[in-house]
Amino acid sequence: MKQHPEIRENFELEALNTLHVPARARFYMEVESASQLLWALDWAASGQQDTLILGGGSNLVFAGDFRGLVIRMAIRGRRWERVVDHRATLVLGAGENWHDAVLYAARAGYRGIENLALIPGTAGAAPVQNIGAYGVELCDCLESVTALDRTTGELVTLDNGECRFAYRDSLFKHTPGRFVITEIRLGLSRNKPLALGYRDLQEYLVDMPESELAPLDVAEAVMAIRRRKLPDPAIIPNAGSFFKNPVVDLAQFEALGAQHPDIVGYRQEHGVKLAAAWLIDQSGWKGFRNARVGVHNRQALVLINHSGGSGRDILALAEEIRDSVEKKFGVILEMEPGIVAGPESA
Ligand code: EPU
């Protein structure tokens, strides 16, 4: 491995974000180890360059060019640790492809992340938004992350509690730029119960007796369900769910229910989580498209770059959707992907 990463200038990022919007990085490096990461960060600091850490580029929107250093995390490696009885810890380098890791664990017979099959992105990005699907969230099995704490320059280990996980949320979202995740540890088991409660999954697996199901069967079911509903970013550029499912209090849910009897909501510990897809769908956006961008015709929560759209085209559409949902339902949708380089700096 080279001592320090190659420095590229004026580097095009279109192929490195799943919305495929054009954006240039003034400087760009790929780092394959924690020491290369430190070198890249020192290089940026000495030249007073802002930095952006990039994983799979599946949860961000470039609203313009990035005028500093983009560091793409390419730290690889998968290994098992503490294999005891039915349990084992799977350690993943931050640059490992998430879906490949899911299949790797499921093929080895280990349970815990099979419901998270086909989520685009890297292992290192997964804790940031606490990826979740089909009744499972990453925080259900994440043991710890190793991260570079940029305030001290030291590698630290943060355990599950310290990561302050919540729905699509974590410590890392609240301390932007402070931690760069280099490795994650997942606690998996060969005999814990499979999570089959999500309706789509139950319907898909209805003919399969639970006792005969292996984690790979569940991963394959999730893949089939996702392929039916969600566009493959390799073919149709998108960034997954564009908004979080909003949580409202019970009184607001009941008031909404009186006006819209078929509203979709799920009771939570505090309040009711509404299906943002339903709100957007009911506001008439499903399948909408203009010349460049649009809304997926099978899942209204997914915005699509149909034909040469820019990040600003996507954000303008998101804004229109948010306004119309607010007007119709009085509910404010929060965007899920991060926005890089706002209009004022682009
Ligand atoms: N619905 C509509 N219209 C649509 C799509 C869905 O009315 O166009 C309704 C459905 O009837 C359903 C409800 O909305 O009752 C929920 O839909 P779905 O089960 O597809 O899940 P979701 O809440 O829209 C969440 C995650 C997805 C994840 C699925 C499955 C968020 C923001 N999104 O979507 O995550 O795959 O559940 O667990 O929580 C992602 O984060 O990128 C992502 C795809």
Side-chain angles (χ1 to χ4, degrees), residues 24-327:
R24 281 177 182 274
R26 176 151 182 226
F27 298 105
Y28 173 84
M29 296 182 197
E30 283 181 11
V31 302
E32 295 176 358
S33 65
S35 59
Q36 285 196 349
L37 171 65
L38 268 171
W39 189 91
L41 292 171
D42 283 348
W43 184 89
S46 65
Q48 292 174 349
Q49 298 291 331
D50 287 340
T51 52
L52 171 72
I53 307 294
L54 192 63
S58 56
N59 201 42
L60 85 182
V61 185
F62 285 105
D65 292 336
F66 188 75
R67 287 161 182 264
L69 169 66
V70 170
I71 300 173
R72 192 162 88 90
M73 294 297 285
I75 301 178
R76 302 302 302 268
R78 293 195 290 231
R79 64 180 192 277
W80 295 99
E81 272 180 5
R82 293 190 287 160
V83 183
V84 184
D85 299 330
H86 294 290
R87 302 213 301 222
T89 299
L90 176 59
V91 187
L92 299 171
E96 285 292 321
N97 175 276
W98 174 259
H99 175 66
D100 290 349
V102 169
L103 292 182
Y104 176 74
R107 285 191 182 120
Y110 281 96
R111 303 165 172 215
I113 52 175
E114 56 281 357
N115 295 42
L116 306 180
L118 226 51
I119 294 183
T122 55
V128 178
Q129 55 153 330
N130 185 22
I131 57 171
Y134 304 100
V136 171
E137 291 184 321
L138 182 76
C139 65
D140 299 335
C141 73
L142 184 124
E143 286 177 352
S144 66
V145 309
T146 303
L148 181 77
D149 182 348
R150 293 176 66 182
T151 58
T152 59
E154 302 283 330
L155 284 175
V156 291
T157 300
L158 300 168
D159 66 23
N160 187 303
E162 289 170 311
C163 292
R164 302 220 305 264
F165 288 119
Y167 167 63
R168 292 295 193 276
D169 199 22
S170 72
L171 165 75
F172 310 107
K173 278 199 171 173
H174 295 273
T175 52
R178 176 167 174 189
F179 296 103
V180 184
I181 295 170
T182 56
E183 201 167 74
I184 71 170
R185 275 180 197 73
L186 306 172
L188 307 178
S189 155
R190 280 176 179 276
N191 66 355
K192 76 175 196 169
L194 295 163
L196 305 173
Y198 203 87
R199 200 184 61 198
D200 287 359
L201 205 49
Q202 268 175 6
E203 283 170 10
Y204 191 89
L205 292 170
V206 69
D207 298 327
M208 310 260 277
E210 192 171 335
S211 57
E212 286 173 25
L213 286 177
L216 192 57
D217 297 320
V218 178
E220 281 169 355
V222 166
M223 288 159 68
I225 295 166
R226 285 185 73 102
R227 286 191 172 121
R228 250 180 357 213
K229 290 195 167 179
L230 295 167
D232 177 352
I235 301 165
I236 303 176
N238 75 88
S241 297
F242 210 85
F243 298 98
K244 292 188 195 184
N245 286 329
V247 177
V248 297
D249 62 30
L250 197 56
Q252 190 178 359
F253 179 67
E254 279 166 2
L256 282 165
Q259 280 181 300
H260 311 277
D262 52 349
I263 192 163
V264 182
Y266 311 92
R267 285 298 291 271
Q268 307 286 295
E269 212 179 314
H270 307 286
V272 181
K273 191 189 268 183
L274 301 178
W278 185 90
L279 299 171
I280 298 168
D281 195 345
Q282 296 297 309
S283 304
W285 288 103
K286 194 171 183 171
F288 166 88
R289 59 185 291 174
N290 63 29
R292 298 196 281 204
V293 298
V295 178
H296 190 47
N297 57 9
R298 272 172 282 150
Q299 173 37 298
L301 206 42
V302 178
L303 303 196
I304 285 170
N305 185 4
H306 281 295
S307 174
S310 67
R312 289 189 197 186
D313 292 329
I314 289 281
L315 293 170
L317 174 59
E319 200 70 29
E320 274 192 74
I321 292 172
R322 196 163 51 183
D323 287 351
S324 77
V325 166
E326 186 182 358
K327 220 164 157 190

